[in-house]
Amino acid sequence: MKNNWKINTSNPITYSISQIENMFDVDNTGLIDYIGDLKQKKLLVIDVNVATHYFTRITQYFEANNIPYQSVLLDGGECNKSVENLFILLEKMENFGLNRRDISLIGIGGGVVLDLVGLAASMYRRGIPYLRIPTTLLGIVDVSVAAKTGINYMTRRNRLGSYYPPIASLLDTTFLPTLKPIEISSGLGEIIKIGVIADLDLFNILYNFGDILYNNNFNHHTSHEVIHRAISVMKNQLEHNLWETDLKRSMDFGHSFSPIIEMRSLETDDVPSLSHGHAVAIDILFSCCLSYKRGYLTKEDLDKVYETSKKLGLPTDHPMFYDINILWESLSDTVKHRNGNQNLPIPNGLGSHIFLNDVTFDEVITIINIFKDINEK
Ligand code: NAD
């Protein structure tokens, strides 16, 4: 008789991504449908800037509906996705006394606050349920769909984290009017990614109406379709690979050269700081130059991506994208993250993609020159 066992189990995952406009209008029952026992006190973890504009609206909703609550405010911004803030939040959760199975934890904010809340939820008592309410455009189209949580650690993005989806992500575009232009374009950076790599119709909407979407804080008759298309593509790409067992991921487009550059830009005084969506957007254009060099994109298509980026208020270059050593360091780190393979998604015509695994140091130097030409024309 051998002492050798195998445990074989499965954990089916279901979560909703639902748009509930004007969620905090006191007579809107959309949120109530998701928060379970209304007598259980809720812990609202709210981004400080969201609280500045919407605290009264949010708390009046809970008061009007007789739902007990307590609130915690956390700062957004990449530098706040830290171990220190994670433990501050966990301490607040412990003092609040969250139950293990009630839906009492609700994150309301951008990707930073939602990533912190998700990671804390996955750790606290080995996992408690939570809800995500994204308040940035990037949060709505990207963070809301994925199962990932995370914080930055030892100068690396999302080095600590978990795959821990919420019970639901609840979307409400009425939070968007108070976003600064840089946050609107940051969200548009993740949306153009999806258009270029996987949805030509979405790309064409951005090409035709991108300037209006950007200038009107995403308020336009195409906004609904843009969100619908972006989330549908993300869902289709992610749901069969939620735990990223397959490291060939089209949604990694724009995330190959940029991760180290994004973090380094925040630590280096003599170059502009890059938001997440802006770092992704520059990587997209750089990767499109690679695609053009390989003959997978025409010059006309490359120019269209450049023009659309401009319309969306996105930066099209950054000093670090001309530095072969940082680019190669970043790509090498990405290769480690992809288990030793480049798995570099690039467009194969607009709206479609292939993966490369043979990009060399010398080729990246050539790409820098194409990238320079397109930015100087
Ligand atoms: P963010 O959370 O830092 O928010 C950007 C800024 O907008 C902050 O200053 C915030 O205070 C402010 N803000 C938020 N909502 C507002 C509102 N309605 N009105 C006014 N100001 C508001 O940044 P982000 O762009 O939302 O998210 C970026 C983060 O998301 C990155 O850390 C990235 O790694 C993460 N992310 C995670 C996933 C995932 O799968 N978990 C996916 C994509 C991105």
Side-chain angles (χ1 to χ4, degrees), residues 47-50 53-54 75-78 81 109-113 115 132 135-136 138-139 142-143 146-150 152 157-158 175-176 178-180 183 186 190 262 276:
D47 178 295
V48 168
N49 287 323
V50 174
H53 297 286
Y54 306 100
D75 283 315
E78 201 59 41
K81 229 169 89 165
V112 165
V113 165
D115 272 0
R132 276 180 186 154
T135 59
T136 59
L138 190 143
D142 193 339
V143 186
K148 293 194 272 195
T149 80
N152 304 324
R157 295 193 71 251
N158 298 320
F175 281 110
L176 303 184
T178 48
L179 285 178
K180 291 184 181 150
E183 305 306 343
S186 239
E190 291 284 1
E262 178 186 338
H276 181 63

mmCIF file of all heavy atoms in Angstrom, residues 47-50 53-54 75-78 81 109-113 115 132 135-136 138-139 142-143 146-150 152 157-158 175-176 178-180 183 186 190 262 276, ligand 1:
data_model
loop_
_atom_site.group_PDB
_atom_site.id
_atom_site.type_symbol
_atom_site.label_atom_id
_atom_site.label_comp_id
_atom_site.label_asym_id
_atom_site.label_seq_id
_atom_site.Cartn_x
_atom_site.Cartn_y
_atom_site.Cartn_z
ATOM 1 N N ASP A 47 -11.911 55.540 -3.681
ATOM 2 C CA ASP A 47 -10.794 56.374 -4.138
ATOM 3 C C ASP A 47 -11.021 57.820 -3.646
ATOM 4 O O ASP A 47 -12.143 58.347 -3.718
ATOM 5 C CB ASP A 47 -10.784 56.334 -5.674
ATOM 6 C CG ASP A 47 -9.717 57.196 -6.303
ATOM 7 O OD1 ASP A 47 -9.778 58.438 -6.166
ATOM 8 O OD2 ASP A 47 -8.842 56.626 -6.961
ATOM 9 N N VAL A 48 -9.966 58.445 -3.155
ATOM 10 C CA VAL A 48 -10.079 59.795 -2.586
ATOM 11 C C VAL A 48 -10.694 60.790 -3.576
ATOM 12 O O VAL A 48 -11.582 61.579 -3.215
ATOM 13 C CB VAL A 48 -8.677 60.299 -2.139
ATOM 14 C CG1 VAL A 48 -8.698 61.774 -1.832
ATOM 15 C CG2 VAL A 48 -8.189 59.516 -0.928
ATOM 16 N N ASN A 49 -10.240 60.736 -4.844
ATOM 17 C CA ASN A 49 -10.779 61.700 -5.819
ATOM 18 C C ASN A 49 -12.235 61.397 -6.164
ATOM 19 O O ASN A 49 -13.006 62.307 -6.470
ATOM 20 C CB ASN A 49 -9.928 61.703 -7.093
ATOM 21 C CG ASN A 49 -8.601 62.386 -6.870
ATOM 22 O OD1 ASN A 49 -8.524 63.377 -6.143
ATOM 23 N ND2 ASN A 49 -7.547 61.855 -7.455
ATOM 24 N N VAL A 50 -12.600 60.148 -6.107
ATOM 25 C CA VAL A 50 -14.010 59.785 -6.326
ATOM 26 C C VAL A 50 -14.836 60.338 -5.167
ATOM 27 O O VAL A 50 -15.914 60.920 -5.368
ATOM 28 C CB VAL A 50 -14.166 58.249 -6.443
ATOM 29 C CG1 VAL A 50 -15.631 57.854 -6.526
ATOM 30 C CG2 VAL A 50 -13.407 57.731 -7.659
ATOM 31 N N HIS A 53 -15.822 64.007 -5.380
ATOM 32 C CA HIS A 53 -16.955 64.359 -6.255
ATOM 33 C C HIS A 53 -18.256 63.639 -5.899
ATOM 34 O O HIS A 53 -19.333 64.169 -6.148
ATOM 35 C CB HIS A 53 -16.608 64.015 -7.710
ATOM 36 C CG HIS A 53 -15.440 64.785 -8.245
ATOM 37 N ND1 HIS A 53 -15.521 66.107 -8.575
ATOM 38 C CD2 HIS A 53 -14.160 64.418 -8.486
ATOM 39 C CE1 HIS A 53 -14.339 66.533 -9.013
ATOM 40 N NE2 HIS A 53 -13.499 65.525 -8.963
ATOM 41 N N TYR A 54 -18.145 62.429 -5.353
ATOM 42 C CA TYR A 54 -19.362 61.591 -5.274
ATOM 43 C C TYR A 54 -19.677 61.044 -3.887
ATOM 44 O O TYR A 54 -20.588 60.238 -3.748
ATOM 45 C CB TYR A 54 -19.233 60.393 -6.257
ATOM 46 C CG TYR A 54 -18.932 60.802 -7.671
ATOM 47 C CD1 TYR A 54 -17.632 60.743 -8.173
ATOM 48 C CD2 TYR A 54 -19.943 61.275 -8.507
ATOM 49 C CE1 TYR A 54 -17.344 61.132 -9.475
ATOM 50 C CE2 TYR A 54 -19.663 61.670 -9.811
ATOM 51 C CZ TYR A 54 -18.352 61.598 -10.283
ATOM 52 O OH TYR A 54 -18.081 61.997 -11.572
ATOM 53 N N ASP A 75 -5.919 56.469 -1.725
ATOM 54 C CA ASP A 75 -5.451 57.246 -2.867
ATOM 55 C C ASP A 75 -5.297 56.356 -4.093
ATOM 56 O O ASP A 75 -4.799 55.232 -3.996
ATOM 57 C CB ASP A 75 -4.082 57.870 -2.557
ATOM 58 C CG ASP A 75 -4.223 59.079 -1.654
ATOM 59 O OD1 ASP A 75 -5.111 59.915 -1.921
ATOM 60 O OD2 ASP A 75 -3.462 59.172 -0.664
ATOM 61 N N GLY A 76 -5.682 56.895 -5.267
ATOM 62 C CA GLY A 76 -5.358 56.238 -6.533
ATOM 63 C C GLY A 76 -3.940 56.638 -6.933
ATOM 64 O O GLY A 76 -3.196 57.220 -6.144
ATOM 65 N N GLY A 77 -3.589 56.332 -8.184
ATOM 66 C CA GLY A 77 -2.234 56.657 -8.669
ATOM 67 C C GLY A 77 -1.320 55.463 -8.465
ATOM 68 O O GLY A 77 -1.350 54.820 -7.407
ATOM 69 N N GLU A 78 -0.504 55.194 -9.471
ATOM 70 C CA GLU A 78 0.315 53.968 -9.510
ATOM 71 C C GLU A 78 1.200 53.806 -8.270
ATOM 72 O O GLU A 78 1.375 52.702 -7.751
ATOM 73 C CB GLU A 78 1.175 53.992 -10.780
ATOM 74 C CG GLU A 78 1.688 52.646 -11.223
ATOM 75 C CD GLU A 78 0.601 51.624 -11.509
ATOM 76 O OE1 GLU A 78 -0.441 51.958 -12.099
ATOM 77 O OE2 GLU A 78 0.795 50.460 -11.118
ATOM 78 N N LYS A 81 -0.138 51.801 -5.317
ATOM 79 C CA LYS A 81 -0.429 50.348 -5.399
ATOM 80 C C LYS A 81 0.712 49.617 -4.691
ATOM 81 O O LYS A 81 1.493 48.897 -5.295
ATOM 82 C CB LYS A 81 -0.517 49.947 -6.874
ATOM 83 C CG LYS A 81 -1.751 49.138 -7.187
ATOM 84 C CD LYS A 81 -1.973 48.973 -8.661
ATOM 85 C CE LYS A 81 -1.283 47.762 -9.226
ATOM 86 N NZ LYS A 81 -1.780 47.407 -10.561
ATOM 87 N N GLY A 109 -13.541 52.831 -7.352
ATOM 88 C CA GLY A 109 -12.398 53.660 -7.750
ATOM 89 C C GLY A 109 -11.807 53.214 -9.063
ATOM 90 O O GLY A 109 -12.396 52.422 -9.810
ATOM 91 N N GLY A 110 -10.608 53.717 -9.338
ATOM 92 C CA GLY A 110 -9.892 53.337 -10.552
ATOM 93 C C GLY A 110 -9.199 52.000 -10.365
ATOM 94 O O GLY A 110 -9.367 51.311 -9.337
ATOM 95 N N GLY A 111 -8.368 51.638 -11.353
ATOM 96 C CA GLY A 111 -7.692 50.345 -11.329
ATOM 97 C C GLY A 111 -6.821 50.156 -10.093
ATOM 98 O O GLY A 111 -6.699 49.030 -9.593
ATOM 99 N N VAL A 112 -6.254 51.229 -9.589
ATOM 100 C CA VAL A 112 -5.352 51.090 -8.440
ATOM 101 C C VAL A 112 -6.123 50.648 -7.195
ATOM 102 O O VAL A 112 -5.772 49.662 -6.538
ATOM 103 C CB VAL A 112 -4.579 52.418 -8.210
ATOM 104 C CG1 VAL A 112 -3.914 52.453 -6.851
ATOM 105 C CG2 VAL A 112 -3.552 52.612 -9.332
ATOM 106 N N VAL A 113 -7.196 51.371 -6.881
ATOM 107 C CA VAL A 113 -7.986 51.001 -5.696
ATOM 108 C C VAL A 113 -8.611 49.608 -5.891
ATOM 109 O O VAL A 113 -8.603 48.781 -4.969
ATOM 110 C CB VAL A 113 -9.058 52.083 -5.406
ATOM 111 C CG1 VAL A 113 -10.114 51.577 -4.433
ATOM 112 C CG2 VAL A 113 -8.382 53.342 -4.869
ATOM 113 N N ASP A 115 -7.481 47.098 -7.708
ATOM 114 C CA ASP A 115 -6.451 46.050 -7.593
ATOM 115 C C ASP A 115 -6.076 45.816 -6.128
ATOM 116 O O ASP A 115 -5.851 44.672 -5.702
ATOM 117 C CB ASP A 115 -5.199 46.434 -8.395
ATOM 118 C CG ASP A 115 -5.284 45.962 -9.853
ATOM 119 O OD1 ASP A 115 -6.300 45.360 -10.216
ATOM 120 O OD2 ASP A 115 -4.329 46.195 -10.607
ATOM 121 N N ARG A 132 -16.655 45.083 -7.444
ATOM 122 C CA ARG A 132 -15.846 46.162 -8.030
ATOM 123 C C ARG A 132 -16.771 47.177 -8.711
ATOM 124 O O ARG A 132 -17.590 46.791 -9.546
ATOM 125 C CB ARG A 132 -14.993 45.599 -9.163
ATOM 126 C CG ARG A 132 -13.696 44.964 -8.794
ATOM 127 C CD ARG A 132 -13.073 44.489 -10.103
ATOM 128 N NE ARG A 132 -11.863 43.726 -9.888
ATOM 129 C CZ ARG A 132 -11.420 42.816 -10.739
ATOM 130 N NH1 ARG A 132 -12.090 42.533 -11.843
ATOM 131 N NH2 ARG A 132 -10.302 42.173 -10.501
ATOM 132 N N THR A 135 -14.441 53.434 -11.630
ATOM 133 C CA THR A 135 -14.864 54.825 -11.856
ATOM 134 C C THR A 135 -13.994 55.532 -12.896
ATOM 135 O O THR A 135 -14.161 56.719 -13.115
ATOM 136 C CB THR A 135 -14.786 55.616 -10.536
ATOM 137 O OG1 THR A 135 -13.427 55.554 -10.064
ATOM 138 C CG2 THR A 135 -15.727 55.060 -9.488
ATOM 139 N N THR A 136 -13.026 54.817 -13.477
ATOM 140 C CA THR A 136 -12.252 55.382 -14.591
ATOM 141 C C THR A 136 -12.633 54.622 -15.858
ATOM 142 O O THR A 136 -13.143 53.495 -15.784
ATOM 143 C CB THR A 136 -10.729 55.236 -14.366
ATOM 144 O OG1 THR A 136 -10.406 53.849 -14.218
ATOM 145 C CG2 THR A 136 -10.255 56.009 -13.147
ATOM 146 N N LEU A 138 -10.526 53.346 -17.935
ATOM 147 C CA LEU A 138 -9.671 52.153 -17.979
ATOM 148 C C LEU A 138 -10.249 51.064 -17.070
ATOM 149 O O LEU A 138 -10.259 49.876 -17.405
ATOM 150 C CB LEU A 138 -8.245 52.528 -17.563
ATOM 151 C CG LEU A 138 -7.183 51.464 -17.775
ATOM 152 C CD1 LEU A 138 -5.868 52.112 -18.212
ATOM 153 C CD2 LEU A 138 -6.934 50.632 -16.531
ATOM 154 N N GLY A 139 -10.742 51.485 -15.921
ATOM 155 C CA GLY A 139 -11.348 50.526 -14.992
ATOM 156 C C GLY A 139 -12.565 49.856 -15.611
ATOM 157 O O GLY A 139 -12.766 48.649 -15.480
ATOM 158 N N ASP A 142 -11.375 47.542 -18.784
ATOM 159 C CA ASP A 142 -10.287 46.577 -18.663
ATOM 160 C C ASP A 142 -10.313 45.873 -17.305
ATOM 161 O O ASP A 142 -10.552 44.659 -17.217
ATOM 162 C CB ASP A 142 -8.945 47.319 -18.870
ATOM 163 C CG ASP A 142 -7.784 46.363 -19.077
ATOM 164 O OD1 ASP A 142 -7.908 45.201 -18.691
ATOM 165 O OD2 ASP A 142 -6.744 46.788 -19.617
ATOM 166 N N VAL A 143 -10.144 46.630 -16.223
ATOM 167 C CA VAL A 143 -10.070 46.021 -14.888
ATOM 168 C C VAL A 143 -11.343 45.230 -14.596
ATOM 169 O O VAL A 143 -11.303 44.160 -13.981
ATOM 170 C CB VAL A 143 -9.875 47.110 -13.802
ATOM 171 C CG1 VAL A 143 -9.650 46.487 -12.445
ATOM 172 C CG2 VAL A 143 -8.730 48.057 -14.166
ATOM 173 N N ALA A 146 -11.193 41.424 -16.048
ATOM 174 C CA ALA A 146 -10.171 40.443 -15.671
ATOM 175 C C ALA A 146 -10.384 39.897 -14.260
ATOM 176 O O ALA A 146 -11.091 40.487 -13.440
ATOM 177 C CB ALA A 146 -8.797 41.104 -15.752
ATOM 178 N N ALA A 147 -9.728 38.777 -14.000
ATOM 179 C CA ALA A 147 -9.803 38.165 -12.668
ATOM 180 C C ALA A 147 -8.624 38.616 -11.801
ATOM 181 O O ALA A 147 -8.531 38.253 -10.644
ATOM 182 C CB ALA A 147 -9.775 36.652 -12.808
ATOM 183 N N LYS A 148 -7.737 39.445 -12.384
ATOM 184 C CA LYS A 148 -6.462 39.702 -11.702
ATOM 185 C C LYS A 148 -6.549 40.799 -10.646
ATOM 186 O O LYS A 148 -7.326 41.735 -10.774
ATOM 187 C CB LYS A 148 -5.414 40.103 -12.743
ATOM 188 C CG LYS A 148 -5.065 38.973 -13.666
ATOM 189 C CD LYS A 148 -3.823 39.255 -14.454
ATOM 190 C CE LYS A 148 -4.084 39.986 -15.727
ATOM 191 N NZ LYS A 148 -2.946 39.961 -16.640
ATOM 192 N N THR A 149 -5.701 40.661 -9.640
ATOM 193 C CA THR A 149 -5.521 41.704 -8.629
ATOM 194 C C THR A 149 -4.011 41.912 -8.525
ATOM 195 O O THR A 149 -3.246 41.097 -9.037
ATOM 196 C CB THR A 149 -6.037 41.253 -7.256
ATOM 197 O OG1 THR A 149 -5.035 40.408 -6.659
ATOM 198 C CG2 THR A 149 -7.347 40.489 -7.334
ATOM 199 N N GLY A 150 -3.579 42.951 -7.859
ATOM 200 C CA GLY A 150 -2.122 43.060 -7.716
ATOM 201 C C GLY A 150 -1.653 44.372 -7.119
ATOM 202 O O GLY A 150 -2.393 45.356 -7.058
ATOM 203 N N ASN A 152 2.324 46.688 -6.904
ATOM 204 C CA ASN A 152 3.705 46.764 -7.382
ATOM 205 C C ASN A 152 4.639 46.418 -6.225
ATOM 206 O O ASN A 152 4.341 46.700 -5.063
ATOM 207 C CB ASN A 152 3.992 48.164 -7.909
ATOM 208 C CG ASN A 152 3.001 48.553 -9.006
ATOM 209 O OD1 ASN A 152 2.593 47.704 -9.791
ATOM 210 N ND2 ASN A 152 2.604 49.811 -9.046
ATOM 211 N N ARG A 157 5.978 46.057 -11.777
ATOM 212 C CA ARG A 157 4.526 46.187 -11.811
ATOM 213 C C ARG A 157 3.865 44.862 -11.443
ATOM 214 O O ARG A 157 4.268 43.813 -11.923
ATOM 215 C CB ARG A 157 4.043 46.581 -13.221
ATOM 216 C CG ARG A 157 4.501 47.940 -13.677
ATOM 217 C CD ARG A 157 3.740 48.385 -14.908
ATOM 218 N NE ARG A 157 2.370 48.700 -14.544
ATOM 219 C CZ ARG A 157 1.321 47.975 -14.882
ATOM 220 N NH1 ARG A 157 1.453 46.908 -15.618
ATOM 221 N NH2 ARG A 157 0.129 48.329 -14.482
ATOM 222 N N ASN A 158 2.841 44.951 -10.626
ATOM 223 C CA ASN A 158 1.997 43.789 -10.300
ATOM 224 C C ASN A 158 2.803 42.554 -9.925
ATOM 225 O O ASN A 158 2.434 41.435 -10.282
ATOM 226 C CB ASN A 158 1.092 43.455 -11.496
ATOM 227 C CG ASN A 158 0.151 44.591 -11.812
ATOM 228 O OD1 ASN A 158 -0.381 45.230 -10.912
ATOM 229 N ND2 ASN A 158 -0.050 44.860 -13.082
ATOM 230 N N PHE A 175 -19.711 58.277 -13.787
ATOM 231 C CA PHE A 175 -18.520 58.701 -13.036
ATOM 232 C C PHE A 175 -17.507 59.424 -13.935
ATOM 233 O O PHE A 175 -16.594 60.072 -13.434
ATOM 234 C CB PHE A 175 -17.810 57.484 -12.413
ATOM 235 C CG PHE A 175 -18.458 56.965 -11.164
ATOM 236 C CD1 PHE A 175 -19.105 55.747 -11.157
ATOM 237 C CD2 PHE A 175 -18.410 57.700 -9.991
ATOM 238 C CE1 PHE A 175 -19.699 55.255 -10.012
ATOM 239 C CE2 PHE A 175 -19.001 57.227 -8.832
ATOM 240 C CZ PHE A 175 -19.651 55.999 -8.843
ATOM 241 N N LEU A 176 -17.640 59.262 -15.258
ATOM 242 C CA LEU A 176 -16.559 59.708 -16.146
ATOM 243 C C LEU A 176 -16.409 61.226 -16.320
ATOM 244 O O LEU A 176 -15.294 61.705 -16.566
ATOM 245 C CB LEU A 176 -16.694 59.034 -17.521
ATOM 246 C CG LEU A 176 -16.706 57.488 -17.499
ATOM 247 C CD1 LEU A 176 -16.738 56.941 -18.928
ATOM 248 C CD2 LEU A 176 -15.489 56.926 -16.767
ATOM 249 N N THR A 178 -15.973 63.623 -14.430
ATOM 250 C CA THR A 178 -15.006 64.318 -13.558
ATOM 251 C C THR A 178 -13.566 63.842 -13.782
ATOM 252 O O THR A 178 -12.653 64.320 -13.098
ATOM 253 C CB THR A 178 -15.386 64.101 -12.075
ATOM 254 O OG1 THR A 178 -15.629 62.708 -11.861
ATOM 255 C CG2 THR A 178 -16.623 64.894 -11.706
ATOM 256 N N LEU A 179 -13.365 62.916 -14.724
ATOM 257 C CA LEU A 179 -11.984 62.451 -14.982
ATOM 258 C C LEU A 179 -11.178 63.530 -15.692
ATOM 259 O O LEU A 179 -11.701 64.236 -16.559
ATOM 260 C CB LEU A 179 -12.002 61.204 -15.863
ATOM 261 C CG LEU A 179 -12.410 59.891 -15.210
ATOM 262 C CD1 LEU A 179 -12.408 58.785 -16.274
ATOM 263 C CD2 LEU A 179 -11.473 59.519 -14.067
ATOM 264 N N LYS A 180 -9.901 63.624 -15.354
ATOM 265 C CA LYS A 180 -9.025 64.547 -16.079
ATOM 266 C C LYS A 180 -8.786 63.992 -17.490
ATOM 267 O O LYS A 180 -8.831 62.762 -17.688
ATOM 268 C CB LYS A 180 -7.681 64.649 -15.360
ATOM 269 C CG LYS A 180 -7.770 65.358 -14.034
ATOM 270 C CD LYS A 180 -6.377 65.493 -13.454
ATOM 271 C CE LYS A 180 -6.444 66.184 -12.114
ATOM 272 N NZ LYS A 180 -5.391 65.761 -11.211
ATOM 273 N N GLU A 183 -6.733 60.891 -17.861
ATOM 274 C CA GLU A 183 -7.356 59.610 -17.472
ATOM 275 C C GLU A 183 -8.299 59.111 -18.571
ATOM 276 O O GLU A 183 -8.444 57.905 -18.762
ATOM 277 C CB GLU A 183 -8.105 59.742 -16.139
ATOM 278 C CG GLU A 183 -7.278 60.271 -14.979
ATOM 279 C CD GLU A 183 -5.992 59.491 -14.729
ATOM 280 O OE1 GLU A 183 -5.862 58.358 -15.218
ATOM 281 O OE2 GLU A 183 -5.097 60.056 -14.068
ATOM 282 N N SER A 186 -5.964 57.708 -21.125
ATOM 283 C CA SER A 186 -5.404 56.447 -20.609
ATOM 284 C C SER A 186 -6.353 55.276 -20.883
ATOM 285 O O SER A 186 -5.930 54.208 -21.338
ATOM 286 C CB SER A 186 -5.225 56.574 -19.089
ATOM 287 O OG SER A 186 -3.903 56.390 -18.739
ATOM 288 N N GLU A 190 -6.166 51.673 -23.688
ATOM 289 C CA GLU A 190 -6.506 50.241 -23.605
ATOM 290 C C GLU A 190 -7.548 49.877 -24.667
ATOM 291 O O GLU A 190 -7.568 48.754 -25.165
ATOM 292 C CB GLU A 190 -7.031 49.868 -22.212
ATOM 293 C CG GLU A 190 -5.986 49.907 -21.097
ATOM 294 C CD GLU A 190 -5.008 48.713 -21.095
ATOM 295 O OE1 GLU A 190 -5.112 47.830 -21.977
ATOM 296 O OE2 GLU A 190 -4.129 48.677 -20.199
ATOM 297 N N GLU A 262 7.223 52.040 -18.047
ATOM 298 C CA GLU A 262 6.207 52.739 -17.241
ATOM 299 C C GLU A 262 6.720 52.986 -15.823
ATOM 300 O O GLU A 262 6.664 54.112 -15.319
ATOM 301 C CB GLU A 262 4.915 51.906 -17.209
ATOM 302 C CG GLU A 262 3.833 52.543 -16.358
ATOM 303 C CD GLU A 262 2.590 51.668 -16.185
ATOM 304 O OE1 GLU A 262 2.356 50.763 -17.010
ATOM 305 O OE2 GLU A 262 1.864 51.892 -15.196
ATOM 306 N N HIS A 276 -0.469 54.256 -16.927
ATOM 307 C CA HIS A 276 -0.504 52.901 -17.483
ATOM 308 C C HIS A 276 -0.988 52.918 -18.941
ATOM 309 O O HIS A 276 -0.324 52.389 -19.845
ATOM 310 C CB HIS A 276 -1.385 52.004 -16.620
ATOM 311 C CG HIS A 276 -1.453 50.596 -17.130
ATOM 312 N ND1 HIS A 276 -0.357 49.784 -17.212
ATOM 313 C CD2 HIS A 276 -2.482 49.869 -17.637
ATOM 314 C CE1 HIS A 276 -0.696 48.619 -17.719
ATOM 315 N NE2 HIS A 276 -1.981 48.642 -17.985
HETATM 316 P P1 NAD B 1 -6.007 55.016 -11.058
HETATM 317 O O1 NAD B 1 -6.786 54.057 -10.282
HETATM 318 O O2 NAD B 1 -4.726 55.494 -10.500
HETATM 319 O O3 NAD B 1 -6.960 56.274 -11.348
HETATM 320 C C1 NAD B 1 -6.436 57.353 -12.070
HETATM 321 C C2 NAD B 1 -6.738 58.682 -11.347
HETATM 322 O O4 NAD B 1 -8.111 58.994 -11.498
HETATM 323 C C3 NAD B 1 -6.463 58.651 -9.860
HETATM 324 O O5 NAD B 1 -5.868 59.863 -9.494
HETATM 325 C C4 NAD B 1 -7.865 58.534 -9.248
HETATM 326 O O6 NAD B 1 -7.896 59.111 -7.972
HETATM 327 C C5 NAD B 1 -8.690 59.309 -10.222
HETATM 328 N N1 NAD B 1 -10.099 58.971 -10.339
HETATM 329 C C6 NAD B 1 -10.663 57.737 -10.357
HETATM 330 N N2 NAD B 1 -11.960 57.830 -10.659
HETATM 331 C C7 NAD B 1 -12.252 59.148 -10.794
HETATM 332 C C8 NAD B 1 -13.440 59.876 -11.124
HETATM 333 N N3 NAD B 1 -14.567 59.260 -11.449
HETATM 334 N N4 NAD B 1 -13.364 61.227 -11.178
HETATM 335 C C9 NAD B 1 -12.189 61.864 -10.922
HETATM 336 N N5 NAD B 1 -11.031 61.233 -10.639
HETATM 337 C C10 NAD B 1 -11.069 59.882 -10.583
HETATM 338 O O7 NAD B 1 -5.666 54.495 -12.528
HETATM 339 P P2 NAD B 1 -6.502 53.641 -13.603
HETATM 340 O O8 NAD B 1 -6.048 54.157 -14.901
HETATM 341 O O9 NAD B 1 -7.947 53.589 -13.298
HETATM 342 O O10 NAD B 1 -5.949 52.161 -13.385
HETATM 343 C C11 NAD B 1 -4.599 51.844 -13.642
HETATM 344 C C12 NAD B 1 -4.251 50.619 -12.839
HETATM 345 O O11 NAD B 1 -5.119 49.547 -13.189
HETATM 346 C C13 NAD B 1 -2.832 50.115 -13.068
HETATM 347 O O12 NAD B 1 -2.210 49.920 -11.836
HETATM 348 C C14 NAD B 1 -3.020 48.791 -13.785
HETATM 349 O O13 NAD B 1 -2.036 47.855 -13.473
HETATM 350 C C15 NAD B 1 -4.357 48.356 -13.256
HETATM 351 N N6 NAD B 1 -5.033 47.411 -14.140
HETATM 352 C C16 NAD B 1 -5.454 46.248 -13.616
HETATM 353 C C17 NAD B 1 -6.070 45.317 -14.419
HETATM 354 C C18 NAD B 1 -6.541 44.010 -13.844
HETATM 355 O O14 NAD B 1 -6.774 43.105 -14.607
HETATM 356 N N7 NAD B 1 -6.685 43.892 -12.550
HETATM 357 C C19 NAD B 1 -6.277 45.589 -15.778
HETATM 358 C C20 NAD B 1 -5.850 46.806 -16.285
HETATM 359 C C21 NAD B 1 -5.216 47.721 -15.451
#
